């Protein structure tokens, strides 16, 4: 199996060929019957899915590579090749640099906070106290609401005129702040909204990780006189490593492709100041008919997301194994 | 005594957390029930229940049509995901030749490809083959991009079903295909429930695909109807709030009723969005 595949691949323990059902087939079945029984005949079952993948993922992917070397406008019939000009333009454009940094803030920043708070919440809501289920439900609900709607909900808090947060700011300073129009602030606000929305997922992953840890470890540690601090860093945290891996990878992929919340709150503005690679690509294509450049940006995004998630996966897995 | 004190502290901190997290939804409620002429702060709950926002949002954003579109697209997509997903997973789980391992790799490696990275060529393809603004086109797209997860979950689930069952069926003279339909398929119910819930939720909530590929007003889904409504009436925030609330309620209700399946999906390594 290729090394670059996602984690869930590695978790799947392989069945040995000698366990294959073929051996149960009696020898005497011959001819057509044997062909019908051959396991190869089962492979028709994945053909519909494979066809869909070929048409809607792999074909567009390779065509996208071609389009990124053209100056296509999005509708004309002929493709005119211009070599690597789009990539040169992209990498020398300072707006693209800002957008890459924003994308990293959305991806890496949200992941960091989602995991810190997700872990804290999981520890808080694991064993002690009343009303745990209620709090879990409240924290998790945002994750099942559409991100574009979550964006509108936060718009009511962040609005300049009469926004809920600005009511508080006005009460202290006397005048409202235009939170969504200030490029120094709005990028971080978008990151916070994304963190708020999906930290419930991290919390749930950590909770199911915590529930898998046997009580025996803690009892043994208590006998040895370990402090709560010691117990956390020597038992809980190492045993949560697989949960941490899952949570980090999911949040990274989700944050790096962020689109909806940005569309709802700032539409990437002012200019491209709060845009992510996704929203910039969308605008280049639909508003500016710069399809060639949009396709290059798409490829850059693909490269960035794959590189970041596979590298973190590699290091997280290695850390898991060493423990 | 120490135990009880600790439990009390945890309960109080937990409630504070819940309170903080509920704030955006509280504001959503106050805004959607407040008359636009009422200039009081969004923190103040209106002393009355003004339902005019809901009526206006429903009519002006054409939410009736949008709910219908979203419902049809979600149901069709989920049904196809279940059929194609369970079919594909069977040979991949039971017959692991070198070829099939590669095919499995092709399916699951698409889990990390965000659909947006291929927006430009995908859009061109849709225009070329006339799939724009059709149920058919968007359904196939949802199916393709959700299939990775379904195939992954089904394959690992079938892997846990003992092979003795297959062998018993073979001895009774079932063909391999027949065995799938008679033995394996009925056993897939629990994982199917998880897949239905997860996929239905993310297709119901989808904004990007619908925004790109359903541009005619008649074909709009809820999220696109709301966003174009927001573009035209950004001053009428009561309407937007009421519309958002109506769009979010079905998901929240389903979640509260079927929590278990959401959690199972996450535990299985769910991919969000």
């Amino acid at each position: 199996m290729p090394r670059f595949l996602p984690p869930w691949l590695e978790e799947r323990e392989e069945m040995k060929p000698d366990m294959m059902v073929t051996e149960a087939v009696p020898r005497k079945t011959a001819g057509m019957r044997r062909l019908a029984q051959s396991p190869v005949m089962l492979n028709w079952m994945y053909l519909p899915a494979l066809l869909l993948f070929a048409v809607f993922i792999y074909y567009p992917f390779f065509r996208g590579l071609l389009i990124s070397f053209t100056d296509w406008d999005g509708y004309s019939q002929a493709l005119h090749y211009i070599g690597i000009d789009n990539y040169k333009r992209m990498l020398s454009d300072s707006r693209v640099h800002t957008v890459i940094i924003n994308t990293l803030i959305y991806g890496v920043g949200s992941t960091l906070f989602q995991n810190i708070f997700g872990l804290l919440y999981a520890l808080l809501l694991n064993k002690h106290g009343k009303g745990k289920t209620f709090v879990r439900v409240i924290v998790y609900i945002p994750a099942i609401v559409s991100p574009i709607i979550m964006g509108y909900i936060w718009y009511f808090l962040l609005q300049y005129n009469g926004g809920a947060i600005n009511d508080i700011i006005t009460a202290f300073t006397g005048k409202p702040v235009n939170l969504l129009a200030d490029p120094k602030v709005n990028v971080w606000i978008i990151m916070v909204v994304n963190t708020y929305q999906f930290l419930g997922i991290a919390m749930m992953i950590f909770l199911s990780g915590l529930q898998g840890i046997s009580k025996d470890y803690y009892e043994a540690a208590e006998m040895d006189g370990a402090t709560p601090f010691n117990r956390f860093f020597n038992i809980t945290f190492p045993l949560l490593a697989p949960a941490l891996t899952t949570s980090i990878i999911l949040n990274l992929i989700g944050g790096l492709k962020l689109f909806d919340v940005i569309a709802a709150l700032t539409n990437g503005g002012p200019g491209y100041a709060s845009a992510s690679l996704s929203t910039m690509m969308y605008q280049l294509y639909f508003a500016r008919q710069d399809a060639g450049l949009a396709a290059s940006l798409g490829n850059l995004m693909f490269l960035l997301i794959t590189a970041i998630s596979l590298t973190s996966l590699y290091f997280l897995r290695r850390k898991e194994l060493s423990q | 005594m120490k135990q009880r004190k600790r439990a009390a502290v945890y309960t109080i901190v937990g409630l504070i957390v819940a309170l903080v997290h509920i704030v955006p939804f509280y504001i959503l409620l106050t805004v959607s029930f407040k008359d636009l002429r009422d200039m009081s702060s969004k923190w103040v709950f209106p002393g009355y229940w003004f339902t005019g926002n809901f009526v206006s949002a429903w009519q002006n954003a054409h939410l009736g049509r949008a709910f219908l579109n979203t419902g049809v697209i979600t149901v069709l997509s989920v049904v196809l995901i279940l059929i194609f997903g369970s079919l594909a997973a069977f040979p991949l789980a039971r017959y692991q030749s070198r070829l099939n391992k590669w095919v499995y790799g092709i399916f699951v490696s698409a889990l990390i490809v965000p659909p947006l990275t291929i927006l430009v060529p995908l859009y061109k393809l849709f225009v070329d083959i006339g799939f724009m603004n059709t149920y058919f086109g968007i359904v196939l797209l949802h199916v393709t991009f959700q299939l990775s997860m379904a195939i992954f979950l089904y394959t690992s689930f079938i892997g846990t079903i003992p092979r003795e069952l297959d062998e018993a069926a073979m001895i009774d003279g079932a063909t391999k295909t027949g065995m799938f339909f008679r033995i394996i398929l009925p056993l897939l119910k629990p994982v199917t429930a998880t897949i239905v819930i997860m996929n239905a939720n993310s297709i119901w909530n989808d904004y990007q695909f619908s925004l790109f590929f359903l541009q005619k007003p008649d074909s709009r889904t809820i999220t696109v109807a709301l966003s174009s409504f927001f573009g035209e009436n950004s001053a009428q925030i009561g309407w937007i709030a009421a519309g958002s609330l109506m769009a979010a309620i079905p998901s929240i209700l389903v979640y509260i009723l079927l929590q278990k399946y959401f959690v199972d999906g996450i535990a299985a390594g769910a991919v969000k969005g």
Side-chain angles (χ1 to χ4, degrees):
Chain A
M1 200 176 304
R3 283 299 306 156
F4 53 85
L5 293 178
W8 22 85
L9 253 187
E10 295 162 31
E11 282 162 14
R12 201 165 61 105
E13 275 311 309
E14 308 302 338
M15 293 120 204
K16 301 283 175 298
D18 53 272
M19 289 164 67
M20 218 93 80
V21 211
T22 358
E23 298 189 347
V25 185
R27 273 276 161 92
K28 57 185 175 192
T29 54
M32 286 305 287
R33 180 125 175 91
R34 178 179 258 156
L35 188 66
Q37 294 288 29
S38 151
V40 182
M41 291 303 289
L42 285 176
N43 290 354
W44 70 267
M45 298 171 91
Y46 60 59
L47 288 181
L50 207 54
L51 185 71
L52 285 175
F53 272 65
V55 174
F56 292 116
I57 298 182
Y58 289 93
Y59 168 70
F61 180 78
F62 289 108
R63 196 158 185 207
L65 287 180
L66 288 184
I67 293 177
S68 73
F69 296 110
T70 68
D71 61 357
W72 192 46
D73 52 12
Y75 44 85
S76 59
Q77 284 305 311
L79 291 180
H80 174 230
Y81 287 90
I82 54 165
I84 56 167
D85 280 12
N86 284 326
Y87 290 95
K88 275 192 198 149
R89 241 169 94 202
M90 181 172 79
L91 295 174
S92 61
D93 188 338
S94 68
R95 290 172 311 177
V96 175
H97 301 165
T98 316
V99 167
I100 293 175
I101 294 172
N102 290 346
T103 307
L104 290 175
I105 293 176
Y106 300 144
V108 181
S110 313
T111 303
L112 187 70
F113 288 106
Q114 278 162 350
N115 281 289
I116 294 175
F117 283 98
L119 182 59
L120 286 177
Y121 286 8
L123 292 169
L124 175 73
L125 303 170
N126 187 32
K127 272 190 307 206
H128 308 284
K130 290 197 171 68
K132 297 185 291 278
T133 320
F134 170 74
V135 184
R136 284 183 202 168
V137 168
I138 296 292
V139 174
Y140 186 70
I141 277 182
I144 53 144
V145 172
S146 176
I148 186 91
I149 290 174
M150 189 50 67
Y152 294 140
I153 296 178
W154 276 82
Y155 178 76
F156 308 135
L157 282 109
L158 298 163
Q159 257 182 301
Y160 182 58
N161 286 318
I165 291 177
N166 261 320
D167 281 355
I168 298 177
I169 295 178
T170 313
F172 283 101
T173 66
K175 57 177 195 299
V177 183
N178 202 342
L179 296 164
L180 292 174
D182 182 350
K184 284 199 206 73
V185 189
N186 59 12
V187 176
W188 299 99
I189 288 178
I190 290 169
M191 187 209 73
V192 169
V193 175
N194 184 49
T195 304
Y196 163 82
Q197 179 164 20
F198 291 113
L199 81 83
I201 291 187
M203 175 189 75
M204 289 295 194
I205 293 173
F206 286 125
L207 273 170
S208 67
L210 284 176
Q211 265 134 36
I213 301 179
S214 156
K215 278 200 185 107
D216 302 350
Y217 292 114
Y218 294 105
E219 281 163 14
E222 205 137 0
M223 302 249 254
D224 293 345
T227 63
F229 188 80
N230 274 335
R231 265 180 286 165
F232 177 77
F233 281 100
N234 293 323
I235 304 174
T236 316
F237 198 67
L239 287 174
L240 279 181
L244 189 70
T245 306
T246 313
S247 171
I248 287 182
I249 299 294
L250 288 184
N251 290 321
L252 265 181
I253 296 177
L256 289 171
K257 66 176 188 192
L258 197 65
F259 181 90
D260 300 20
V261 174
I262 306 169
L265 287 179
T266 66
N267 210 7
Y272 288 114
S274 64
S276 67
L277 283 169
S278 326
T279 62
M280 185 182 199
M281 186 174 71
Y282 171 70
Q283 275 163 4
L284 281 177
Y285 188 29
F286 285 102
R288 307 193 159 222
Q289 277 81 43
D290 205 341
L293 189 61
S296 334
L297 217 58
N299 294 334
L300 173 72
M301 186 174 148
F302 171 76
L303 215 69
L304 192 78
I305 295 185
T306 322
I308 293 182
S309 32
L310 290 186
T311 327
S312 6
L313 186 64
Y314 174 76
F315 283 108
L316 290 165
R317 286 274 144 169
R318 218 172 55 165
K319 200 153 174 294
E320 262 176 51
L321 291 177
S322 68
Q323 269 158 0
Chain B
M1 198 54 210
K2 203 179 154 199
Q3 277 293 333
R4 265 172 66 189
K5 212 165 151 191
R6 185 197 235 174
V9 172
Y10 273 60
T11 311
I12 291 167
V13 178
L15 284 179
I16 294 172
V17 166
L19 220 61
V20 171
H21 278 256
I22 224 167
V23 163
F25 287 92
Y26 168 76
I27 301 288
L28 175 69
L29 278 181
T30 64
V31 179
S32 42
F33 285 107
K34 200 172 269 187
D35 193 332
L36 193 69
R37 282 162 299 186
D38 183 339
M39 298 301 283
S40 63
S41 165
K42 292 191 173 63
W43 294 97
V44 182
F45 207 86
Y48 50 87
W49 297 93
F50 178 67
T51 50
N53 290 330
F54 290 88
V55 179
S56 308
W58 186 268
Q59 286 168 350
N60 296 327
H62 307 286
L63 281 184
R65 177 76 206 205
F67 266 85
L68 178 75
N69 287 336
T70 313
V72 171
I73 291 169
T74 306
V75 172
L76 287 179
S77 307
V78 170
V79 169
L80 289 180
I81 290 166
L82 295 181
I83 297 174
F84 293 155
S86 59
L87 277 179
F90 183 59
L92 296 176
R94 279 295 194 251
Y95 177 49
Q96 298 187 319
S97 60
R98 185 179 286 264
L99 171 74
N100 284 6
K101 282 184 185 173
W102 273 97
V103 172
Y104 184 73
I106 286 176
F107 285 134
V108 293
S109 56
L111 278 172
I112 55 167
V113 184
L116 255 173
T117 61
I118 53 170
L119 166 67
V120 175
L122 206 53
Y123 190 84
K124 183 164 170 46
L125 177 72
F126 259 55
V127 173
D128 288 349
I129 57 181
F131 273 11
M132 286 298 292
N133 303 314
T134 62
Y135 281 156
F136 190 65
I138 192 114
V139 164
L140 287 185
L141 214 51
H142 279 307
V143 171
T144 311
F145 280 94
Q146 303 281 341
L147 257 178
S148 295
M149 197 66 216
I151 290 176
F152 164 66
L153 288 175
Y154 272 132
T155 308
S156 37
F157 191 84
I158 294 176
T160 65
I161 298 176
R163 276 158 188 270
E164 285 78 14
L165 276 178
D166 301 16
E167 284 160 21
M170 301 292 292
I171 291 165
D172 291 346
T175 62
K176 279 184 182 293
T177 314
M179 182 173 77
F180 170 74
F181 287 105
R182 270 184 270 158
I183 312 286
I184 303 291
L185 205 54
L187 292 172
L188 293 181
K189 270 183 205 143
V191 68
T192 300
T194 304
I195 293 173
V196 169
I197 295 288
M198 283 172 48
N199 287 334
N201 187 241
S202 64
I203 296 168
W204 181 271
N205 286 342
D206 170 69
Y207 176 60
Q208 296 169 20
F209 278 158
S210 316
L211 175 68
F212 308 145
F213 301 110
L214 301 174
Q215 296 179 337
K216 268 208 206 121
D218 266 0
S219 61
R220 279 178 188 154
T221 56
I222 303 172
T223 49
V224 182
L226 275 179
S227 78
S228 61
F229 181 62
F230 187 61
E232 292 153 14
N233 307 281
S234 56
Q236 295 281 2
I237 57 163
W239 296 3
I240 319 283
S244 302
L245 189 59
M246 286 189 280
I249 277 177
S251 314
I252 295 177
L253 279 184
V254 172
Y255 168 63
I256 288 173
L257 293 174
L258 302 171
Q259 279 180 55
K260 178 186 173 308
Y261 299 104
F262 282 87
V263 179
D264 287 356
I266 298 165
V271 168
K272 71 185 186 200

